[in-house]
Amino acid sequence: MLGQALKAAEREGLGAAVLGPLRAELTSVDHPALPLRRASVTRVVRALARAGVVLPEELARIGGEVRGSSASLQPPHPVPLPGGEGKLGGEKGLLELSSKAEPKRPSPRGEGKGEGPSPRAKQAKLGLEVEGKSRKVKRKKAVGQEASRSEAKLLSIAPREGPLSIPLKHLGGRLAPRLVGALNRKGLQRVGDVLFLLPRCYEDRRRLRTIAELVPGERGVTVATVRTVGDAPLARRGAPRRAFRAVLGDPTGSIAVTYFNGGPWLKARFPLGQRMVISGEVRASLSGREIIHPEVEPADDLESSSVHFNRVVPIYPGFERGEQRAFRELAHRVAEGHADAIGEPLPRELRERLGLLELAEALRRIHFPGAADDLEALNTHQSDAHQRLAFDELFFLQLGLALKRQGVKVEPGIRFTVNGERLAHARGALPFQLTRAQAKVVAEIARDMARPEPMNRLLQGDVGSGKTAVALVSALVALQDGYQVALMAPTELLAEQHVRTFERLLAPLGLEVGLLSSSGTAKQKREVRERVARGEVRVAVGTHALIEESVAFERLGLVVIDEQHRFGVLQRHRLMGKGVRPDVLVMTATPIPRTLAMTLYGDLEVSVIDELPPGRTPVSTRVFTEGQRARVYELVAAELAKGHQAYIVYPLVEESEKVDLADATRGVEKLRQTYPNHRVGLLHGRMKAEEKDAVMADFRAGKLEVLVATTVVEVGVDVPNASVMVVEAAERFGLSQLHQLRGRVGRGSVQSHCFLVSGSAVSAEGAERLAVMERSTNGFVIAEKDLEIRGPGEFLGTRQSGVPELAVANLARDVALLEAAQVEARRIVEADPRLERSEHASLVKALEERWEGRLALARVG
């Protein structure tokens, strides 16, 4: 039905910009999985709204979210679809389906309409192109998700010394005890802490709306008089039994405000007859309009105040109990009286070239925007003031990385002999030809190894792209010069796999490979350590056992770290410390988005293998619901009948480890009944190393045809005959983790399949992740999307991952800004490696005063 409507629209002359997004949904708008169908239909409705289609009332709420945030995409006039007055040709089926979709409420931070320069124009001001409309839409979406997910925090550029470090109690003027308590709870004790606290969002109080003008689903601000107050019973399950509710009114209507779990202090905040300013997300309920937990303040100085009214006003995080107004007054005092106390760290020529505000002006406008500042840009952190502060965050991080990179370059390292003959000999050890991408990366690594300074290179490659082959050629370059090689892997399974691969190719050349792991007898482990120390073991492969104090190398020249994000900073340093400034190659099969790589590894050279070896067939991916599991088992049975093998993976997280383990154990029993003629095995993290080895050996040898496992198979396990990957409760996995699991199949030339089985209660975010997996097999595309959805901390899976806390900059959004910061930082360090020039004194001062130890966060290892 949708296809016919699109063909009719095309005949009527509707352009590809409108039809393209709709055509993209043809395969998923009637998807059997309800969450995916809902997500697809929602995208259809929003695409129609962006195209200016006049939506029927029952769909307007879904499409309305777009109008506030993507107005620049709308054509100047509505575009009616054929067959109806701006509706979907009267097609009842789609409307019924769409009515089931639950609209995602817009984030209160992302709201606000205003005119003025678009965020895209502000990026263009930096002289940097942002490619295409799609990136703009993607960036806006990332902004909204970031806004709704994170709380504002102190900017990472807040100074720790100087005039702004004086305690607030010495500021002059008495602070209210309740405000002091709120400041202490948030750790705001110095003048600079107030100046560098980012507002959560902004409200346009130049003209307050009447109650009748408030729009459900949007953030609104109005002034009204308190009419009734009291407790209200709640009938909803899981909600507290009673809540505080006040009803306020103006000549155009009334609105309720509701607080759950409120105390007696609430009644004192709403005196009967008092005029109040209330703001928050407006909801439509059976009894009328309502705001849950609004911001509230008295309207006594509505006409006269230039701080709280008659302007765009900041709303700060964590000041809900009436301290919002008091903190805003404090912020105004500090911004007006102390912003100039911070020195300007950026050279004038740099600021003028990029069109950046002075820092003091940016700080004043971040708290109290000027009349020309655009409300949407403020709420999406893309105003001129936000962009200046975001640039500072990114620039000083890149400056520290550039200094570190320059420092590594001047350290003496190993100059390996790399000539055509040796490189040909190294390549000749492989039983196949390198791909174009592999050959390019080998050439980059060879150039690094031939230089006198230590190599520090990150090798990125999608699942199955052939990173191990590149590592082996690099190892042979070092081995031919008489050096040893250390290869550290995150799991014993992967370490053992590397040993088998290296032994098969290096043993014929007379080079010994040894495994250092926690398994085996004390005598076996001691013997391997001794052979490594004597230099008899030329390639030492291992897990964390490699970095034990008892392990020593005779002549370590190259360190290869596989799946580097699994190791901590100190672990990598300890391995490097076992040689005299050895060359370092870190590898990852978890594609890292470019902005994250620039932030974490800005001091590294980066190589990318961007093509798969010939003969690899892309894995087909499909999403199923729990109710469709029987169909999944049928598809698995069909693959087993062809002589192939299958993985069935269950999630395993620490909080519910026992439950998940029980699920996997029950899963084995159920699958043995489902496939009585096939052998089913179990692999999980609690098994002893010897037990895991035995199970994997049986699966690799074909003695087991179905392997039920937890995520221990996520990284590196290579069984070419396995053609099916089933992931249970797939919504519980991150995108990159799902992509890694999918990469365990498709290792041979046969068509392989990945079946993602979702649970009964899938969130909109979970459904979106599964839809991305179904649409794309490109790991770098998936990684960018994962960063968008989850943010950098969650993307890497640990808060100790080295990602700096950024309060303004957004790695998923500020690509152009980060590129500019890196270019400028490297330009300065190349011209002045020690920052000794007088014009760079302010940079040195800023690094010392405001960044303390933060620049040591992003380490190579």
Side-chain angles (χ1 to χ4, degrees):
M1 177 271 293
L2 182 57
Q4 290 171 352
L6 293 178
K7 286 178 183 176
E10 191 171 26
R11 287 195 298 271
E12 294 286 330
L14 209 57
V18 175
L19 297 177
L22 298 172
R23 281 204 182 96
E25 300 300 332
L26 285 175
T27 56
S28 50
V29 76
D30 59 349
H31 199 285
L34 179 60
L36 297 181
R37 189 166 72 242
R38 281 179 175 168
S40 179
V41 172
T42 301
R43 288 194 295 271
V44 167
V45 175
R46 290 177 182 168
L48 295 174
R50 281 197 296 270
V53 173
V54 182
L55 295 170
E57 188 177 349
E58 59 267 40
L59 298 183
R61 281 200 304 162
I62 304 172
E65 184 176 326
V66 177
R67 294 194 194 101
S69 60
S70 300
S72 59
L73 298 181
Q74 295 177 21
H77 303 292
V79 182
L81 282 185
E85 290 297 317
K87 302 184 182 181
L88 297 178
E91 321 288 31
K92 187 180 177 188
L94 180 59
L95 296 183
E96 287 182 346
L97 186 60
S98 300
S99 65
K100 297 177 184 176
E102 296 175 10
K104 188 174 176 183
R105 290 195 179 276
S107 160
R109 283 181 67 183
E111 290 308 308
K113 302 172 182 146
E115 298 177 358
S118 69
R120 186 183 182 84
K122 298 192 187 304
Q123 291 282 2
K125 198 172 177 186
L126 297 173
L128 297 157
E129 268 193 2
V130 182
E131 300 90 345
K133 189 180 289 185
S134 60
R135 175 174 284 184
K136 178 177 180 182
V137 176
K138 177 171 153 186
R139 241 182 38 197
K140 279 185 174 292
K141 187 168 185 187
V143 171
Q145 286 161 341
E146 170 92 2
S148 62
R149 180 176 58 242
S150 64
E151 270 208 7
K153 44 189 171 280
L154 278 174
L155 298 180
S156 52
I157 57 172
R160 299 300 183 210
E161 297 177 11
L164 295 175
S165 65
I166 62 172
L168 285 169
K169 61 185 178 183
H170 297 153
L171 183 61
R174 183 175 175 274
L175 298 178
R178 200 160 68 181
L179 175 61
V180 171
L183 292 169
N184 290 337
R185 283 194 302 274
K186 290 190 69 66
L188 306 176
Q189 297 177 348
R190 299 169 305 173
V191 171
D193 294 340
V194 173
L195 188 62
F196 284 85
L197 180 71
L198 192 70
R200 176 167 58 83
C201 62
Y202 298 84
E203 287 182 351
D204 189 348
R205 295 190 179 179
R206 288 169 290 196
R207 177 192 172 277
L208 301 185
R209 296 182 186 180
T210 64
I211 291 175
E213 291 173 323
L214 297 177
V215 179
E218 291 184 5
R219 185 176 179 88
V221 55
T222 188
V223 60
T225 303
V226 180
R227 290 179 176 170
T228 64
V229 295
D231 292 337
L234 294 174
R236 292 185 303 169
R237 287 184 62 188
R241 291 180 183 177
R242 302 191 72 79
F244 174 84
R245 177 167 292 162
V247 175
L248 295 87
D250 71 4
T252 70
S254 61
I255 186 168
V257 298
T258 304
Y259 292 84
F260 304 117
N261 301 315
W265 57 273
L266 277 168
K267 193 170 267 188
R269 286 189 65 188
F270 290 90
L272 289 174
Q274 173 79 44
R275 287 179 78 212
M276 309 288 290
V277 174
I278 57 172
S279 61
E281 184 180 337
V282 182
R283 301 184 182 185
S285 65
L286 293 175
S287 55
R289 290 179 177 82
E290 179 182 34
I291 300 180
I292 307 295
H293 290 260
E295 305 281 355
V296 178
E297 54 189 274
D300 299 337
D301 53 353
L302 183 61
E303 286 75 26
S304 60
S305 173
S306 61
V307 174
H308 305 295
F309 304 107
N310 308 304
R311 68 183 309 157
V312 173
V313 168
I315 303 296
Y316 296 94
F319 294 96
E320 286 81 21
R321 289 196 172 197
E323 303 96 356
Q324 186 69 237
R325 185 182 179 91
F327 184 81
R328 191 182 299 127
E329 288 172 354
L330 175 62
H332 189 264
R333 284 174 59 197
V334 169
E336 290 300 313
H338 298 272
D340 289 321
I342 188 163
E344 174 54 66
L346 298 184
R348 174 181 292 181
E349 182 263 337
L350 184 156
R351 289 199 322 273
E352 290 177 351
R353 184 168 60 252
L354 299 185
L356 297 171
L357 294 176
E358 290 188 358
L359 181 57
E361 176 66 10
L363 286 168
R364 277 191 290 268
R365 282 172 57 177
I366 210 105
H367 289 283
F368 292 92
D373 285 321
D374 175 38
L375 187 65
E376 182 190 355
L378 287 165
N379 276 322
T380 55
H381 285 190
Q382 294 183 72
S383 70
D384 287 346
H386 284 93
Q387 290 286 283
R388 167 59 208 262
L389 295 176
F391 181 83
D392 271 33
E393 288 192 298
L394 298 172
F395 172 78
F396 281 104
L397 178 63
Q398 291 299 317
L399 185 63
L401 291 170
L403 289 168
K404 183 171 182 288
R405 189 168 174 259
Q406 188 73 22
V408 169
K409 284 184 177 180
V410 298
E411 288 178 351
I414 302 166
R415 186 198 288 266
F416 291 97
T417 304
V418 183
N419 53 40
E421 182 184 344
R422 287 197 168 184
L423 211 49
H425 184 262
R427 287 179 168 188
L430 298 173
F432 50 81
Q433 289 291 315
L434 294 173
T435 65
R436 178 196 57 79
Q438 286 173 315
K440 175 175 68 75
V441 169
V442 164
E444 291 169 348
I445 292 171
R447 280 197 301 272
D448 281 1
M449 294 182 75
R451 291 174 180 147
E453 66 267 10
M455 174 175 74
N456 275 291
R457 186 166 285 275
L458 168 68
L459 173 58
Q460 288 201 76
D462 211 340
V463 178
S465 61
K467 293 179 300 300
T468 305
V470 170
L472 192 136
V473 173
S474 307
L476 273 164
V477 170
L479 292 167
Q480 289 179 85
D481 248 353
Y483 286 90
Q484 291 170 287
V485 175
L487 195 165
M488 187 158 71
T491 66
E492 294 202 7
L493 280 175
L494 187 51
E496 289 162 6
Q497 185 169 291
H498 282 315
V499 167
R500 281 191 296 273
T501 301
F502 275 64
E503 273 184 340
R504 186 175 71 250
L505 299 173
L506 298 182
L509 303 177
L511 298 168
E512 184 178 339
V513 180
L515 175 65
L516 285 158
S517 72
S518 56
S519 58
T521 65
K523 181 182 178 184
Q524 290 171 329
K525 289 188 280 190
R526 186 178 67 251
E527 287 176 352
V528 175
R529 287 198 303 269
E530 289 171 355
R531 294 180 69 78
V532 171
R534 292 195 298 266
E536 295 167 14
V537 169
R538 304 296 303 285
V539 178
V541 182
T543 56
H544 297 80
L546 270 178
I547 59 175
E548 291 175 0
E549 286 186 16
S550 57
V551 176
F553 289 79
E554 184 196 43
R555 199 175 184 222
L556 180 61
L558 175 67
V559 170
V560 181
I561 300 170
D562 197 9
E563 290 305 317
Q564 52 76 33
H565 64 284
R566 298 297 187 91
F567 297 103
V569 172
L570 295 177
Q571 293 166 329
R572 298 196 293 269
H573 268 296
R574 285 175 67 181
L575 181 56
M576 290 167 62
K578 293 184 181 291
V580 181
R581 287 182 289 280
D583 281 7
V584 178
L585 178 67
V586 295
M587 307 193 300
T588 176
T590 303
I592 302 171
R594 194 159 53 98
T595 53
L596 205 51
M598 289 168 69
T599 305
L600 279 175
Y601 307 111
D603 53 342
L604 282 175
E605 304 299 332
V606 178
S607 293
V608 177
I609 303 178
D610 54 6
E611 67 177 330
L612 294 179
R616 295 282 175 89
T617 306
V619 179
S620 167
T621 305
R622 291 177 63 184
V623 177
F624 295 87
T625 61
E626 278 188 341
Q628 298 168 313
R629 188 176 281 109
R631 174 60 179 151
V632 174
Y633 287 166
E634 287 175 13
L635 294 169
V636 172
E639 288 298 306
L640 296 176
K642 296 175 187 175
H644 300 153
Q645 293 163 276
Y647 295 100
I648 315 287
V649 172
Y650 286 80
L652 185 65
V653 292
E654 291 177 12
E655 289 80 6
S656 54
E657 188 168 348
K658 293 179 181 176
V659 174
D660 287 328
L661 190 54
D663 284 347
T665 308
R666 284 195 299 271
V668 168
E669 299 308 318
K670 182 177 180 181
L671 287 163
R672 282 175 179 157
Q673 294 169 15
T674 305
Y675 306 116
N677 299 322
H678 299 281
R679 289 150 297 183
V680 181
L682 173 65
L683 183 72
H684 60 77
R686 286 189 168 187
M687 294 168 69
K688 293 179 181 176
E690 295 81 0
E691 294 173 322
K692 287 186 207 172
D693 292 344
V695 171
M696 275 312 301
D698 286 347
F699 188 63
R700 200 176 287 109
K703 295 178 183 178
L704 293 174
E705 292 146 295
V706 179
L707 182 62
V708 177
T710 56
T711 50
V712 291
V713 300
E714 176 190 343
V715 174
V717 178
D718 189 1
V719 182
N721 191 48
S723 67
V724 184
M725 168 63 70
V726 179
V727 183
E728 293 282 354
E731 76 282 356
R732 289 175 57 180
F733 295 88
L735 267 173
S736 295
Q737 197 175 22
L738 287 172
H739 183 62
Q740 287 290 316
L741 288 169
R742 178 168 60 184
R744 297 310 102 218
V745 297
R747 316 289 285 191
S749 58
V750 300
Q751 176 64 60
S752 295
H753 307 272
C754 178
F755 302 134
L756 305 176
V757 183
S758 64
S760 54
V762 184
S763 66
E765 186 180 294
E768 186 178 4
R769 281 202 300 272
L770 299 183
V772 170
M773 285 296 297
E774 209 169 22
R775 288 196 300 263
S776 178
T777 57
N778 185 315
F780 289 94
V781 171
I782 287 168
E784 292 283 356
K785 192 69 180 176
D786 207 14
L787 176 64
E788 241 184 68
I789 293 172
R790 297 196 294 163
E794 270 191 77
F795 176 89
L796 291 169
T798 169
R799 292 205 171 274
Q800 298 173 354
S801 56
V803 183
E805 288 286 331
L806 299 173
V808 193
N810 178 324
L811 295 180
R813 176 194 70 211
D814 295 325
V815 179
L817 206 60
L818 178 57
E819 288 173 345
Q822 186 180 75
V823 167
E824 295 297 338
R826 289 187 176 182
R827 178 185 289 154
I828 287 170
V829 171
E830 283 169 13
D832 184 10
R834 296 182 181 274
L835 299 184
E836 293 172 329
R837 295 181 184 174
S838 58
E839 64 264 31
H840 295 151
S842 59
L843 292 177
V844 175
K845 185 170 183 283
L847 284 167
E848 290 173 350
E849 276 191 4
R850 291 157 49 189
W851 277 80
E852 296 178 356
R854 290 182 179 86
L855 295 172
L857 283 173
R859 296 287 186 185
V860 182

